[in-house]
Amino acid sequence: MELKLMMEKLGAPQTHLGLKSMIKEVDEDFDGKLSFREFLLIFHKAAAGELQEDSGLMALAKLSEINVALEGVKGAKDFFEAKVQALKSASKFEAELKAEQDERKQAEEKRRLRQAAFRELKAAFST
């Protein structure tokens, strides 16, 4: 279902049988599902010319490419900026984790400074 939705969003909708044949073409462990490794295998096979020209997998591989000669530099720039934006939004989770780690580091630094200030005051009253 995820593959079907992705293909529809990319503008290359597939039939149920077409999706099954796409999965079968790269399904190395025969579980009827695409793992991340098998998904990457689509692009590896496309680069090696091992995919049929009319297959859904070739359509998927072509959807992630741009021909600068046809689109021009501006089109390529827009394409890659869109890809970067998509990656940034996908890595929002990573950004949230990084922000939490930074907050923890700042809190630890503040705690360390408070302890050092306390030790100085304690030493002043002790002498």
Side-chain angles (χ1 to χ4, degrees):
M1 192 61 167
E2 291 170 335
L3 182 61
K4 179 181 179 184
L5 291 174
M6 181 186 69
M7 293 301 288
E8 287 174 359
K9 285 184 180 183
L10 289 173
Q14 300 290 315
T15 65
H16 184 72
L17 293 175
L19 292 168
K20 282 189 166 210
S21 68
M22 287 171 61
I23 292 171
K24 188 177 180 181
E25 201 169 337
V26 291
D27 191 12
E28 293 180 321
D29 55 5
F30 305 107
D31 64 352
K33 300 176 185 176
L34 284 181
S35 65
F36 182 67
R37 179 183 171 358
E38 292 165 342
F39 182 74
L40 293 177
L41 187 60
I42 295 168
F43 302 100
H44 177 74
K45 284 188 170 192
E50 297 175 8
L51 295 177
Q52 296 175 2
E53 200 61 37
D54 61 340
S55 75
L57 292 178
M58 183 57 89
L60 175 60
K62 286 182 178 179
L63 287 172
S64 63
E65 298 176 352
I66 187 164
N67 186 340
V68 178
L70 289 175
E71 300 295 329
V73 175
K74 175 77 170 125
K77 177 181 176 268
D78 294 342
F79 175 82
F80 288 112
E81 284 177 351
K83 289 283 187 185
V84 167
Q85 188 62 33
L87 289 173
K88 283 183 181 177
S89 65
S91 66
K92 183 178 180 182
F93 179 70
E94 291 178 22
E96 290 174 359
L97 286 176
K98 178 82 169 135
E100 286 179 15
Q101 289 174 346
D102 290 343
E103 287 176 17
R104 276 191 238 126
K105 286 180 184 177
Q106 289 174 353
E108 181 64 28
E109 181 65 21
K110 286 180 183 178
R111 187 183 68 76
R112 192 182 60 74
L113 290 173
R114 280 195 318 268
Q115 286 179 342
F118 178 78
R119 283 190 207 110
E120 287 179 22
L121 285 174
K122 182 180 173 186
F125 284 110
S126 296
T127 49

